[in-house]
């Protein structure tokens, strides 16, 4: 089952009499003209996740730093998880650019004991501790969800030595797929009871066995690579190791972005004849474009193409909100071959 298959099935479910029932509609990338949509139940599977992944206590106060962005589900999932756990959710969203040290003081005064953070917020928290800003009140750290957080375990242990780290692996289409706790091996996840994971050509295939899944998810081909694994935590059942995205996808702040979609949006402006996406260190994307004859090669043209691509993509804008330099447009005379995605060390 491809992302296109799921999008068609989702549109069919929405068109049925009575719609899809109590559900929430999300986007796993795609464009305004060709959205990649998926439906999840209103409870976001949080009650089922909590049966095997239970990082919160009723006495906890959870600071939810996931932004309630456009068609982004992790903010809502963690709020629901806190409610199911009997904990209090402080639904902050994205911290402001300036003065976030004052916000950390506020969290401490409010008795916050746990934080749910997206990858970009983790960068800021880690940089703050590196600058001598400890957070002794942080007992529990919740990472991942529909975004795949790859912040190194060793770095978190170094900066937050008394904090337990709990992670989820998932995608916007599958929702939370695997879980791991503080005793699990790095990059190893245990499939949730209602998620069945297979491996085909190195790609992860997910089948959801949950009765509330509508439309059914059958051997869904994710954008991620992985393999079967073993874990030393003692939990029974299978486990999986996640490597990263498979071409033509690239991961930006935990979200898999299709390079082909960005190329198509650039060409659709009429000012570009061909394009290619290059990914370098620090999760920076460079959209290389070959301009049409007569189109001026200047800052205004580059900015206009960038704006149109961000405007037309359903998830890319949210990925670059935290760091504007994570995505840039440059004009080139020639492109490196015919690939839509190239990976570089620089």
């Amino acid at each position: 089952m491809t992302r296109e298959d799921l999008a068609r099935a989702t549109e069919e479910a929405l068109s049925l009499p009575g719609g899809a029932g109590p559900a929430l509609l999300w986007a796993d990338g795609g464009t305004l003209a060709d959205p990649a949509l998926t439906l999840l139940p209103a409870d976001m599977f949080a009650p089922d996740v909590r049966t095997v992944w239970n990082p919160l206590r009723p006495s906890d106060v959870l600071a939810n730093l996931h932004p309630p962005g456009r068609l982004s589900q992790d903010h809502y999932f963690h709020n629901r998880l806190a409610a199911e756990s009997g904990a209090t959710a402080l639904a902050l969203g994205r911290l402001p650019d300036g003065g976030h040290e004052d916000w950390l003081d506020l969290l401490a005064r409010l008795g916050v004991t746990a934080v749910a953070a997206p990858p970009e917020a983790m960068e800021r928290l880690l940089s703050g501790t590196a600058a001598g800003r400890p957070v002794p009140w942080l007992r529990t750290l919740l990472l991942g969800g529909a975004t795949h957080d790859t912040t190194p375990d060793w770095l978190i242990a170094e900066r937050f030595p008394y904090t337990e780290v709990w992670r989820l692996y998932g995608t916007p289409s599958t929702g939370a797929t695997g879980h791991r706790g503080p005793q699990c091996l790095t990059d190893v996840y245990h499939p949730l009871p209602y998620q069945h994971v297979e491996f085909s050509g190195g790609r992860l295939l997910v089948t959801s066995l949950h009765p509330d899944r509508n439309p059914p998810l059958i051997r869904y081909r994710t954008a991620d690579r992985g393999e079967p694994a073993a874990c030393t935590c003692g939990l029974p059942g299978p486990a999986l190791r996640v490597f990263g995205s498979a071409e033509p996808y690239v991961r930006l702040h935990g979200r898999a972005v299709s390079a082909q979609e960005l190329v198509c949006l650039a060409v659709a402006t009429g000012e570009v004849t061909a394009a290619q996406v290059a990914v370098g260190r620090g999760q920076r994307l460079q959209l290389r474009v070959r301009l049409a004859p007569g189109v001026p090669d200047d800052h205004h043209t580059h900015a206009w193409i960038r704006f149109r691509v961000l405007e037309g993509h359903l998830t890319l804008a949210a990925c670059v909100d935290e760091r504007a330099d994570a995505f840039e447009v440059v004009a080139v005379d020639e492109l490196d071959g015919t690939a839509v995605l190239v990976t570089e060390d620089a």
Side-chain angles (χ1 to χ4, degrees), residues 190-270:
H190 302 270
L192 291 161
Y194 57 90
Q195 301 281 42
H196 179 67
V197 179
E198 301 172 76
F199 307 89
S200 176
R203 293 281 282 271
L204 296 178
L205 306 182
V206 178
T207 297
S208 180
L209 305 177
H210 201 288
D212 291 341
R213 180 76 204 209
N214 183 28
L217 196 70
I218 304 172
R219 304 194 78 221
Y220 177 75
R221 192 167 185 254
T222 72
D224 292 326
R225 298 178 294 112
E227 67 177 9
C231 191
T232 59
C233 69
L235 285 177
L240 62 122
R241 177 175 285 106
V242 182
F243 293 134
S245 297
E247 293 188 1
Y249 293 90
V250 59
R251 194 162 289 280
L252 184 63
H253 293 318
R255 297 293 295 267
V257 178
S258 167
Q260 183 64 59
E261 290 171 353
L262 306 189
V263 168
C264 291
L265 286 169
V267 173
T269 64

Side-chain angles (χ1 to χ4, degrees), residues 11 15 23-24 57 62 66 80 85 181 206 210 229 243 265 268 283 301 311 326:
E11 291 184 0
S15 66
L24 299 172
R57 307 168 184 169
L62 174 71
H66 286 273
R80 189 60 188 253
S85 304
V206 178
H210 201 288
F243 293 134
L265 286 169
Q283 292 190 321
T301 297
E311 184 184 54

Side-chain angles (χ1 to χ4, degrees), residues 158-196:
E158 179 183 278
R159 305 288 171 81
F160 305 129
Y162 305 109
T163 301
E164 287 190 341
V165 181
W166 297 71
R167 294 180 185 259
L168 290 173
Y169 161 72
T171 72
S173 292
T174 64
T177 301
H179 67 95
R180 54 177 291 220
Q183 308 304 318
C184 294
L185 294 178
T186 298
D187 295 330
V188 174
Y189 294 84
H190 302 270
L192 291 161
Y194 57 90
Q195 301 281 42
H196 179 67

